[in-house]
Amino acid sequence: MEINGSFMEQPRPQRISKLSGHDWVIEVLGGHPGTCFDLFRMKKKAFINLCEELRRIRKLKHSRNVTIQEQVAIFLFVLSHNERQRMAANRFQHSLETISTYFKKVLYAICSLTKYVIVPPSYDATPPEISYTTKYYPYFKNCVGAIDGTHVSACVPQDSQVPYRGKKIVPTMNMMCACSFDMRFTFVMSGWEGSANDSRIFLECISNPANKFPMPPARKYYLVDSGYTNMPGFLSPYRGERYHLNDYRGQNLPPQGTRELFNYLHSSLRNVIERCFGVLKKRFPVLRDMPSYSLRKQKYIALACCVIHNVIRMYDSGDPLFVEFENEDVELEEDDMIAQEQQTIQVNVGPEHLREMSRFRDRLAQRMWNDRGG
């Protein structure tokens, strides 16, 4: 087209691929299994079951132009790729506004699955991961899971970053999770500022009924690290002794004495929560580089990732990331291995109850030592 003696390129329509977003999703699901995992961070079976769960609870439905499968695919695609919404718009042949709308819709739908998927552990029987392992049985036969906190990326306005920095250079959110020994999350509290220490979040979780923390019944307990109080329901290691598995690896000496042996076995079993965090962060890059969503939406993104984590564990025992992190001796990143240096916040528990839990730990440590010929 010539205007005033110069040529101007005619406008070209954008997103004109012959392969619609729905057709592309069908092609991916019907193609090589590795392609589905690479693009959506889960295999076909888990993807289909996630869609079915969302349809079952009636939080998602087919729209005129976008099926449930495509809506979920958009959400997972945005979580898993650096270019996120702009790349998704080109891939699914929708406007940025449409991509944003469905991302938000699926985000809150997945968070609605929390009450069905992130549920308390069974208190009736000893977990098979303990009962079938002489390393842990019978010492931890009443243990129901492990608890810890981890930091995920947060995108915060410059003038609001101070509470989110903590000991990290970049802003983060601190989230507390409990998990069972089959690597499923049983409780998630996300959205705390990065400067909040683990014990403060823990105290809020267990003391506020609105949080619905799954408190264990009498004589049952979670494993926690030394940043938490050793009290009924929560068994922590001995302070001032070697604890982390790296302290016992390589040229380091094996456990010496009752306390070190207890700490070593405690750390080996509690390591399951660190491995859960390892799977979570490796699967979802968004937890390491959060986009500039609202803080409320960032909080729900972290929760949604935990929900998807559980759905995959429920429906795909052969998921590559779970297989990679199933071994308790797997090398974890430093951020996930090292407990924060923090001052334990005192909880409202009577001194006699604290002494009883301390005596229980001492008896357990002595029994471990005696059984190994110490």
Side-chain angles (χ1 to χ4, degrees):
M1 178 183 296
E2 184 176 355
I3 299 178
N4 296 330
S6 62
F7 288 89
M8 296 184 62
E9 184 178 357
Q10 292 185 356
R12 296 181 181 180
Q14 193 175 10
R15 306 182 184 104
I16 56 173
S17 171
K18 294 181 180 179
L19 199 63
S20 70
H22 173 71
D23 292 338
W24 180 72
V25 172
I26 297 301
E27 181 181 86
V28 169
L29 294 178
H32 191 281
T35 302
C36 183
F37 183 84
D38 290 341
L39 292 170
F40 304 142
R41 308 306 290 156
M42 65 178 69
K43 291 192 288 187
K44 176 181 176 180
K45 182 179 180 181
F47 178 89
I48 291 175
N49 277 286
L50 174 60
C51 295
E52 284 300 306
E53 288 290 336
L54 294 169
R55 182 194 60 78
R56 181 182 64 81
I57 66 171
R58 299 181 180 180
K59 291 298 182 180
L60 286 184
K61 60 182 180 180
H62 298 301
S63 70
R64 186 177 63 178
N65 298 318
V66 185
T67 64
I68 291 176
Q69 289 82 0
E70 187 180 354
Q71 294 173 40
V72 174
I74 288 170
F75 178 79
L76 296 173
F77 192 90
V78 172
L79 285 189
S80 306
H81 295 80
N82 290 334
E83 294 297 328
R84 300 191 172 94
Q85 294 203 13
R86 191 168 299 279
M87 182 185 288
N90 290 323
R91 178 57 275 170
F92 290 92
Q93 300 293 295
H94 295 301
S95 68
L96 284 170
E97 181 180 1
T98 299
I99 294 297
S100 179
T101 296
Y102 282 112
F103 180 86
K104 180 179 179 180
K105 183 178 181 180
V106 176
L107 171 62
Y108 295 128
I110 288 177
C111 288
S112 296
L113 280 175
T114 300
K115 61 183 178 181
Y116 305 105
V117 175
I118 300 180
V119 296
S122 172
Y123 301 126
D124 297 331
T126 300
E129 294 81 6
I130 295 175
S131 60
Y132 296 153
T133 308
T134 56
K135 180 178 180 180
Y136 302 126
Y137 189 86
Y139 316 114
F140 296 107
K141 64 181 181 180
N142 289 324
C143 187
V144 299
I147 293 175
D148 203 4
T150 191
H151 288 257
V152 299
S153 172
C155 187
V156 185
Q158 189 70 34
D159 58 356
S160 303
Q161 287 187 1
V162 172
Y164 289 87
R165 286 192 179 275
K167 295 176 64 177
K168 305 288 183 178
I169 297 176
V170 297
T172 63
M173 285 186 179
N174 194 352
M175 60 188 295
M176 189 193 99
C177 299
C179 75
S180 52
F181 294 106
D182 60 356
M183 296 183 71
R184 297 190 201 183
F185 291 113
T186 57
F187 177 81
V188 176
M189 170 63 75
S190 64
W192 280 75
E193 302 91 338
S195 62
N197 66 32
D198 289 352
S199 54
R200 177 188 170 197
I201 300 172
F202 169 74
L203 181 60
E204 167 63 22
C205 288
I206 67 172
S207 61
N208 187 346
N211 294 320
K212 299 181 180 179
F213 179 81
M215 289 292 291
R219 294 187 295 277
K220 299 283 186 174
Y221 56 85
Y222 292 95
L223 298 181
V224 295
D225 69 22
S226 58
Y228 301 88
T229 300
N230 187 59
M231 65 181 188
F234 306 94
L235 182 64
S236 69
Y238 290 101
R239 294 182 181 178
E241 307 284 348
R242 287 188 296 166
Y243 178 67
H244 294 285
L245 293 182
N246 269 9
D247 296 336
Y248 298 97
R249 286 174 174 153
Q251 299 301 315
N252 295 322
L253 292 172
Q256 304 293 307
T258 59
R259 292 191 170 200
E260 280 199 358
L261 179 60
F262 175 86
N263 277 11
Y264 170 70
L265 294 178
H266 185 288
S267 179
S268 296
L269 189 55
R270 197 192 67 87
N271 174 266
V272 65
I273 186 67
E274 306 289 0
R275 290 184 282 120
C276 283
F277 292 148
V279 172
L280 192 70
K281 292 181 179 180
K282 192 165 185 179
R283 190 183 305 278
F284 298 113
V286 69
L287 298 179
R288 297 181 179 275
D289 183 19
M290 186 68 69
S292 56
Y293 297 118
S294 68
L295 289 173
R296 181 174 182 269
K297 188 175 289 187
Q298 292 178 51
K299 167 186 173 180
Y300 283 116
I301 286 173
L303 175 60
C305 289
C306 294
V307 171
I308 297 171
H309 171 105
N310 277 18
V311 170
I312 295 172
R313 192 57 168 166
M314 291 164 59
Y315 293 111
D316 186 8
S317 59
D319 174 79
L321 290 180
F322 279 115
V323 171
E324 179 183 345
F325 283 86
E326 274 180 349
N327 188 340
E328 68 183 33
D329 292 323
V330 67
E331 292 288 339
L332 297 170
E333 293 188 13
E334 182 176 305
D335 180 56
D336 289 327
M337 287 192 298
I338 299 177
Q340 296 178 2
E341 295 177 4
Q342 54 190 0
Q343 182 178 6
T344 301
I345 294 178
Q346 294 300 314
V347 294
N348 187 24
V349 177
E352 180 53 37
H353 289 96
L354 295 178
R355 285 193 292 269
E356 176 55 35
M357 198 63 182
S358 180
R359 289 192 292 266
F360 168 76
R361 182 174 62 183
D362 290 341
R363 292 193 300 269
L364 202 56
Q366 190 62 54
R367 183 178 182 184
M368 293 173 179
W369 184 252
N370 292 342
D371 288 350
R372 282 159 175 75

